[in-house]
Amino acid sequence: MTSSNPAISSGAAKPGTAGANLNLSKEGWYTETSSLWPGQGLSLQVDEVLFQDRSDFQDVCVLRNKAFGTVLLLDGVIQCTDRDEFSYQEMITHLPLCALQADPTKVLVVGGGDGGVLREVARHQSVQEIHIAEIDGMVPKVAKKFFPQMAIGFDDPRVTVDITDGIKFVKEAAEGTYDAIIVDSSDPVGPAEVLFQKDFFEAMHRALKPGGVVCTQAESMWLHMDIIKELARMCHEVFTNGTVQYAFTTIPTYPSGQIGFMICSKQSQGPLDPRHPKRPAPEAAAGSKHGPLRYYSSEVHSAAFVLPKFAKEALSQHLTF
Amino acid sequence: MTSSNPAISSGAAKPGTAGANLNLSKEGWYTETSSLWPGQGLSLQVDEVLFQDRSDFQDVCVLRNKAFGTVLLLDGVIQCTDRDEFSYQEMITHLPLCALQADPTKVLVVGGGDGGVLREVARHQSVQEIHIAEIDGMVPKVAKKFFPQMAIGFDDPRVTVDITDGIKFVKEAAEGTYDAIIVDSSDPVGPAEVLFQKDFFEAMHRALKPGGVVCTQAESMWLHMDIIKELARMCHEVFTNGTVQYAFTTIPTYPSGQIGFMICSKQSQGPLDPRHPKRPAPEAAAGSKHGPLRYYSSEVHSAAFVLPKFAKEALSQHLTF
């Protein structure tokens, strides 16, 4: 998850306060706290702070930890780590792209400035154009320096980068442009809230081809069921006659150890059921610099939509199937 | 996971050192650290320490946290919380019991002194006898006082409690006694290591009926793949001509946010495939004090065996299917 919107506030701040300088314990540990997960937080031992600056939009920090390698924080919130980023990047990308009936040719990424989603989209050989709208130019710069295995996504000749407001970009896109829009956003607190609002989803619906799919970062079913329910309800209103589904992946460095995705499809000839892949998992092309997939498989795709009973019951009236 | 073996050491100890007294930060937070997950740890804000004592075997602590409610720690390691215990208890119980071909009548629980697994076993109406071998008598006492929703498991008239060494208990059981043995153990460091060793698995194999199933707590695929691989390899040697499989559940307060289970079946007429339930999810009996299931369903059962690609590849040579 990388920020695509200005000035995301970092919430509560004990014992490690997020800010221009990371607040470490005297033993050198950082605890990720937020008003979105009160009373709990993942703590990481900080071996070294590699980078720390304030962009026009947020505090950007890179640190090194023995368990997870290099770690990117925006406004004090963990965005990705060397060790487990593949889970998030593969799932937020291949769930929508492999759910499509037709081979995708044109894909938009909103946020995703670390390049990891671009890397995954590029595995799909049918794709001819990949657009990315990331608001904060410092994030790609930092990714290229400290996370080369993600920033490799920027090297693909099919990629066009716009350092711009993702909402504005989507609103200006021609109707029916994209096969898929992937929203690799930060949490819905402060101004990033707009990426979880109806206005933005209506703009994305308009910019999609019929049969196209949106996939957005959609928080943890263990921590944020109220947010997820509200998001599903709103998506149901926007994707009338389309489909709305929720899936999740496991990832140790996100709060509660999992994160979910809201996957919505625009009406076509018939409803698209995104729960089962229509296309095989993309293989790395011969001679490709991308390694093999490490999380996603066709089996994992279907299993990701099978929710624990409490989550299924909470969301049942808002999901299509 | 509750301890069933003496003197489990608590590993590394910064910033919150496990010990007779919880080591809290000056802001009142506790960080769960261990040599099993170096450089990281879940931090919980401690609203109140409700209980703290040393049993013959370990430090026992109960605290209150705004996110997870009442929390049980043994030697400084989180065992269960009000908020998420149902995920672990339902999955470690219903995965093996619903995988059985025949209705189970006799079930053994090793460890599990909080009563949560007993509560879940009791949902199965066919079960006539439930034995539990828990080494530490302080754990059931503490559970009855602070975790009544789990300790309710002890109230079932089919339950026989032995405060004893689980290994000794299994070794003394008559051959072919149990339909299922559930090992609700702590981590394989220090003396609890024996619950992960061949000697114990051979004794369990002997104590099972043909077609019977063992289900053991088997750590996190994100953190402990070496332990899991070694366990799977050893299980394969013991359950010759039977089956060995690995499944997992999501649970925010265990390290990395997930925990797995090794599920082994003893040879019968044909191999048992535990990946797909043979029996429906147990419903609470009319008038039962047990609430409805909150995590397990038949769909969740099958999905729990679908592993991320990295885990499937790491374990493939040691699993049956």
Side-chain angles (χ1 to χ4, degrees), chain B residues 203-271:
Chain B
M204 289 199 290
H205 183 269
R206 203 187 123 276
L208 279 182
K209 295 179 190 168
V213 172
V214 155
C215 180
T216 73
Q217 187 276 100
E219 302 299 326
S220 166
M221 61 189 174
W222 276 103
L223 300 176
H224 308 119
M225 194 51 87
D226 288 347
I227 294 172
I228 299 168
K229 275 166 84 166
E230 179 52 26
L231 187 63
R233 193 195 56 69
M234 181 268 286
C235 286
H236 222 131
E237 286 177 10
V238 174
F239 287 79
T240 323
N241 303 320
T243 56
V244 178
Q245 279 299 310
Y246 186 82
F248 74 97
T249 193
T250 70
I251 181 161
T253 57
Y254 284 168
S256 86
Q258 10 276 325
I259 195 143
F261 310 103
M262 197 66 73
I263 298 173
C264 310
S265 73
K266 184 171 177 173
Q267 189 186 14
S268 178
Q269 308 276 301

Side-chain angles (χ1 to χ4, degrees), chain B residues 23-245:
Chain B
N23 193 347
L24 304 182
S25 74
K26 68 180 191 296
E27 296 87 0
W29 286 64
Y30 174 71
T31 299
E32 183 200 41
T33 54
S34 167
S35 57
L36 276 172
W37 45 90
Q40 63 180 301
L42 181 65
S43 292
L44 295 179
Q45 188 169 23
V46 178
D47 296 335
E48 192 181 352
V49 177
L50 299 169
F51 179 87
Q52 207 161 201
D53 201 356
R54 184 158 178 91
S55 74
D56 292 342
F57 304 103
Q58 54 203 340
D59 294 324
V60 180
C61 176
V62 180
L63 56 83
R64 186 176 292 136
N65 166 266
K66 65 167 70 62
F68 292 101
T70 313
V71 181
L72 174 66
L73 297 98
L74 297 179
D75 280 335
V77 175
I78 297 167
Q79 304 295 313
C80 50
T81 85
D82 281 347
R83 170 87 174 75
D84 64 1
E85 56 86 11
F86 63 93
S87 164
Y88 177 77
Q89 318 279 12
E90 290 184 19
M91 293 294 275
I92 199 172
T93 304
H94 305 309
L95 287 176
L97 293 186
C98 293
L100 290 167
Q101 291 282 4
D103 282 348
T105 58
K106 217 163 171 177
V107 176
L108 170 62
V109 179
V110 177
D114 55 42
V117 173
L118 297 176
R119 177 192 70 201
E120 296 305 318
V121 175
R123 292 185 194 272
H124 293 262
Q125 302 301 312
S126 65
V127 172
Q128 293 163 8
E129 290 179 53
I130 310 171
H131 297 165
I132 176 168
E134 161 66 51
I135 203 164
D136 190 344
M138 190 184 281
V139 176
K141 278 184 196 150
V142 164
K144 285 171 189 172
K145 180 157 184 191
F146 296 103
F147 299 92
Q149 88 283 11
M150 290 197 285
I152 192 180
F154 288 104
D155 296 345
D156 193 283
R158 296 168 291 175
V159 171
T160 308
V161 181
D162 275 272
I163 302 299
T164 187
D165 177 355
I167 300 170
K168 188 166 159 283
F169 190 93
V170 172
K171 286 185 175 170
E172 289 173 358
E175 189 172 341
T177 300
Y178 294 105
D179 297 285
I181 302 175
I182 298 168
V183 186
D184 179 10
S185 78
S186 54
D187 297 316
V189 285
E193 218 176 326
V194 292
L195 290 179
F196 288 75
Q197 287 175 356
K198 199 169 180 180
D199 190 36
F200 180 53
F201 279 79
E202 285 171 341
M204 289 199 290
H205 183 269
R206 203 187 123 276
L208 279 182
K209 295 179 190 168
V213 172
V214 155
C215 180
T216 73
Q217 187 276 100
E219 302 299 326
S220 166
M221 61 189 174
W222 276 103
L223 300 176
H224 308 119
M225 194 51 87
D226 288 347
I227 294 172
I228 299 168
K229 275 166 84 166
E230 179 52 26
L231 187 63
R233 193 195 56 69
M234 181 268 286
C235 286
H236 222 131
E237 286 177 10
V238 174
F239 287 79
T240 323
N241 303 320
T243 56
V244 178
Q245 279 299 310

Side-chain angles (χ1 to χ4, degrees), chain A residues 55-179:
Chain A
S55 74
D56 292 341
F57 303 103
Q58 56 202 339
D59 294 323
V60 180
C61 175
V62 180
L63 56 83
R64 186 176 292 137
N65 167 265
K66 66 166 69 65
F68 292 102
T70 313
V71 181
L72 174 66
L73 297 99
L74 297 179
D75 280 336
V77 175
I78 298 168
Q79 304 295 314
C80 51
T81 85
D82 281 347
R83 170 88 174 74
D84 63 0
E85 55 88 9
F86 64 93
S87 164
Y88 177 76
Q89 317 279 14
E90 291 184 17
M91 294 294 276
I92 199 172
T93 304
H94 306 309
L95 288 176
L97 294 187
C98 292
L100 290 168
Q101 291 282 4
D103 282 348
T105 57
K106 216 163 173 178
V107 176
L108 170 64
V109 180
V110 176
D114 54 42
V117 173
L118 297 177
R119 178 192 69 201
E120 296 305 318
V121 175
R123 292 185 194 272
H124 292 261
Q125 301 303 312
S126 66
V127 172
Q128 294 163 7
E129 291 180 53
I130 310 171
H131 297 164
I132 176 167
E134 161 64 53
I135 203 164
D136 191 343
M138 190 183 281
V139 176
K141 279 185 197 149
V142 164
K144 284 170 189 174
K145 181 159 184 190
F146 296 103
F147 300 91
Q149 87 284 11
M150 289 196 286
I152 192 180
F154 287 103
D155 296 346
D156 193 284
R158 295 167 292 175
V159 171
T160 308
V161 182
D162 275 272
I163 301 300
T164 185
D165 177 356
I167 299 170
K168 188 167 160 283
F169 189 93
V170 172
K171 286 185 174 170
E172 290 172 357
E175 189 173 340
T177 300
Y178 294 105
D179 297 285

